[in-house]
Amino acid sequence: MTRLFNDPSRFADEMIEGFVAAAGRWVQAAPGGVVRSTQADEATVALVIGGGSGHYPAFGGLVGPGLAHGAAMGNLFASPSSQQVYSIAKAADQGKGVLLSYGNYAGDVLHFDQAQEKLRAEGIDVRTVTVTDDIWSAPQEELHKRRGIAGDLSVFKVAGAAAAAGYDLDGVERVAQLANARTRSFGVAFSGCTLPGASEPLFTVPEGKMAVGLGIHGEPGIDEVDVPTADELAAMFIDKLLEEVPEGVSLEGARVVPLLNGLGNLKYEEMFVVFRRIAQLLDERGIAIVEPEVGELCTSFDMSGVSLTLLWLDEELETLWAAPADSSGFTKGSVAPQRAADAVVTTEADTAIPEASDDSRAAAALVDAALTAVAATLDEAADELGHMDSIAGDGDHGIGMQRGSRAGAAAATTAAQAGAGAQTTLERAADAWSDRAGGTSGALWGEMLRTLGERLGDTEPVTAGAVAEGVAAAKDAVMAFGKAKVGDKTMVDAIVPFADELARRVSAGEGVRQAWAAAAALSQTAAQSTADLAATLGRARSHGDKSIGTPDPGAISFALITKTIHDVLTTSKEQ
Ligand code: ADP
Ligand code: MG
């Protein structure tokens, strides 16, 4: 239970504000998260990490000398937006290139990749190493599909130490990849976590049972067993992780860093009892333990659980692991004194509103009314969407859509009132939506609104044909961006019938209102029928079967939005 909060939808922002107030020795606020408040004498490669909030000390707590230079901090359990990643990377960049490193989750990959493209287009050398340590999230043959959990720390630590030691970007990228290739984690959970304001936990584990392989956002595990003794759990961890010794490591004479990580609600004392046996077992097998960590390194709100990570060292990794680091959430040795960094300068965004025709302004007012209604609908549906997402995903869909649509509606209102046309109003809404929502769906909704806006323009007449074409283009953009096809159990399953039906009816001469009504109804049916499908993409992928019987939350929210817009269209005078 998360007990202390104000407005749940402001929880992440207020948490970051408080974190910055408390951790000024290490960090300062920057748009999108935090960057260091200190500076080394020489410019170095910048390590930029990030992810959703709710995992402290990941990610903001790992910013400081010897570790990361900046952290993009998303909403609760939702990836930061590409704008957040971009602006943190810009603030952290020292002219030596940027390494982006984060846990391998679909939403994070979309946003970090978008940011990477934008930074590269500006001539900044940017590389990416995603962390894939969780052995239960995909089989060995598909290492690249595995998600990142507490092994984030071993990769960040090695990369941060390499940057501090003056490695160039090639070198930092190389050791980060090596650390990831040599990091494996195994997690278990005893009870779920409850996000602020939620009435129920994201997931539950039956009393007396332990979920094996459960993810840090509550992604379902692969098995449920009776809670073992501390020694039995230690043996389970070690047996399994020794079955998966990474390529290039020989057990004989092996040196390893064990990280025993508490997920938020486990006593340190319990972890020490488990670690005692882990140390014995490694010792019995002749594996040398190097500078271990026992504590909270990557949490999951108030989830009760524990994971063991093994980082298999070579000489270089050992030097980098042992190098000093100083951050609010992780320290090692003593770092050289640092200078205070210059304060981050935030430049005002270009807010000039381009010329627009009266017709396009009228359409902008309708866009504003529609998005405002959508935000109200999603406010009400947030709990249910979150619950649906928690069955096989991570439970953040409701909160993400709520935050995104609110921000989108506010931006649309501001733009429309300032005299913007349809395109500018939709573009401002798109940026605000994806920036505030995070998550896969936030990126995709940003893409859809932006694409629709481009087709409508600021000066062209907004005809039924233009709307249908814009919606079709938005559909294509989502499919190009997210690579999902119909049948993959994503929002695409609801978008395709909607866009196709709208186009068909409009080209047959129907007006927008009538065509939209029919298309929305079809979309609703299609969204409901995703219940019969197994998920193949996104976070739900590794738990495909669990999702059968529950519709895809992104498809359901899409259908709900089209229905809400239909209601606005029927009550409006325009069109
Ligand atoms: P996240 O998956 O990052 O937690 P959300 O929970 O907000 O993001 O959104 C989940 C929804 O996003 C899914 O229900 C699905 O409809 C949609 N989605 C996920 N991946 C894709 C993709 N590759 N293409 C299209 N839609 C996707
Ligand atoms: Mg989700």
Side-chain angles (χ1 to χ4, degrees), residues 489 493 522-533 550-552 556:
K489 192 164 190 165
D493 292 353
L522 213 57
S523 174
Q524 166 77 20
T525 315
Q528 289 295 349
S529 5
T530 57
D532 306 335
L533 302 169
T550 306
D552 175 66
I556 292 288

Side-chain angles (χ1 to χ4, degrees), residues 123-462:
I124 301 176
D125 198 353
V126 185
R127 315 286 173 83
T128 292
V129 175
T130 52
V131 183
T132 56
D133 57 313
D134 182 1
I135 61 166
W136 289 115
S137 52
Q140 279 206 64
E141 308 74 62
E142 297 187 308
L143 281 182
H144 65 285
K145 288 193 177 167
R146 287 182 171 176
R147 61 197 175 203
I149 52 173
D152 280 351
L153 178 68
S154 63
V155 178
F156 300 163
K157 172 70 184 72
V158 163
Y167 281 45
D168 64 8
L169 186 56
D170 285 337
V172 175
E173 182 187 20
R174 176 180 60 78
V175 291
Q177 265 160 358
L178 181 65
N180 183 52
R182 285 173 165 247
T183 299
R184 296 286 186 282
S185 301
F186 177 165
V188 298
F190 311 105
S191 73
C193 56
T194 308
L195 296 182
S199 48
E200 281 176 45
L202 269 185
F203 59 94
T204 51
V205 181
E207 189 63 34
K209 294 284 181 186
M210 176 176 89
V212 175
L214 191 128
I216 54 171
H217 310 97
E219 299 95 332
I222 55 117
D223 200 7
E224 252 168 34
V225 300
D226 291 336
V227 175
T229 63
D231 283 4
E232 284 163 358
L233 179 60
M236 197 170 167
F237 279 156
I238 292 295
D239 288 348
K240 183 68 192 172
L241 288 174
L242 292 194
E243 273 174 25
E244 263 228 22
V245 177
E247 234 179 80
V249 175
S250 101
L251 272 186
E252 201 172 337
R255 297 172 67 75
V256 71
V257 177
L259 308 173
L260 191 66
N261 173 52
L263 280 139
N265 200 1
L266 200 71
K267 288 289 294 172
Y268 274 62
E269 283 81 351
E270 288 172 276
M271 289 192 266
F272 287 131
V273 174
V274 176
F275 192 73
R276 156 192 158 278
R277 186 63 188 148
I278 287 170
Q280 288 168 353
L281 290 170
L282 287 171
D283 197 45
E284 281 168 17
R285 285 170 168 80
I287 299 167
I289 296 178
V290 180
E291 305 200 14
E293 290 289 333
V294 175
E296 294 188 335
L297 307 168
C298 181
T299 60
S300 179
F301 259 93
D302 56 336
M303 169 167 158
S304 173
V306 58
S307 64
L308 177 66
T309 299
L310 295 181
L311 164 62
W312 298 86
L313 298 169
D314 66 6
E315 224 171 279
E316 186 179 30
L317 290 179
E318 183 159 346
T319 308
L320 294 168
W321 173 257
D326 188 25
S327 66
S328 77
F330 182 85
T331 52
K332 190 178 255 309
S334 46
V335 301
Q338 309 275 311
R339 292 183 284 129
D342 299 334
V344 173
V345 190
T346 52
T347 45
E348 284 290 309
D350 180 15
T351 51
I353 301 276
E355 278 295 300
S357 64
D358 287 347
D359 195 23
S360 193
R361 281 193 184 139
L366 201 54
V367 166
D368 171 20
L371 288 177
T372 304
V374 163
T377 304
L378 289 172
D379 248 351
E380 262 172 50
D383 259 5
E384 198 189 330
L385 292 171
H387 179 70
M388 234 177 258
D389 190 30
S390 72
I391 306 279
D394 55 1
D396 65 351
H397 188 62
I399 202 171
M401 292 296 285
Q402 187 181 31
R403 291 224 341 186
S405 60
R406 267 191 203 174
T413 304
T414 309
Q417 283 177 359
Q423 174 169 6
T424 303
T425 302
L426 279 162
E427 277 174 358
R428 299 278 162 100
D431 285 348
W433 187 312
S434 68
D435 188 35
R436 301 302 286 167
T440 313
S441 60
L444 295 175
W445 271 98
E447 237 5 66
M448 277 195 274
L449 297 178
R450 193 172 303 114
T451 309
L452 176 61
E454 275 163 18
R455 293 302 159 115
L456 296 184
D458 277 332
T459 51
E460 295 88 326
V462 182

Side-chain angles (χ1 to χ4, degrees), residues 31-32 51-52 72-75 78-88 107-108 110-115 430-439 442-443:
M73 298 169 76
N75 195 5
S79 73
S81 68
S82 57
Q83 289 97 313
Q84 286 183 287
V85 177
Y86 168 82
S87 70
I88 291 297
D108 295 274
L110 280 179
H111 289 286
F112 276 86
D113 275 357
Q114 258 186 340
D431 285 348
W433 187 312
S434 68
D435 188 35
R436 301 302 286 167

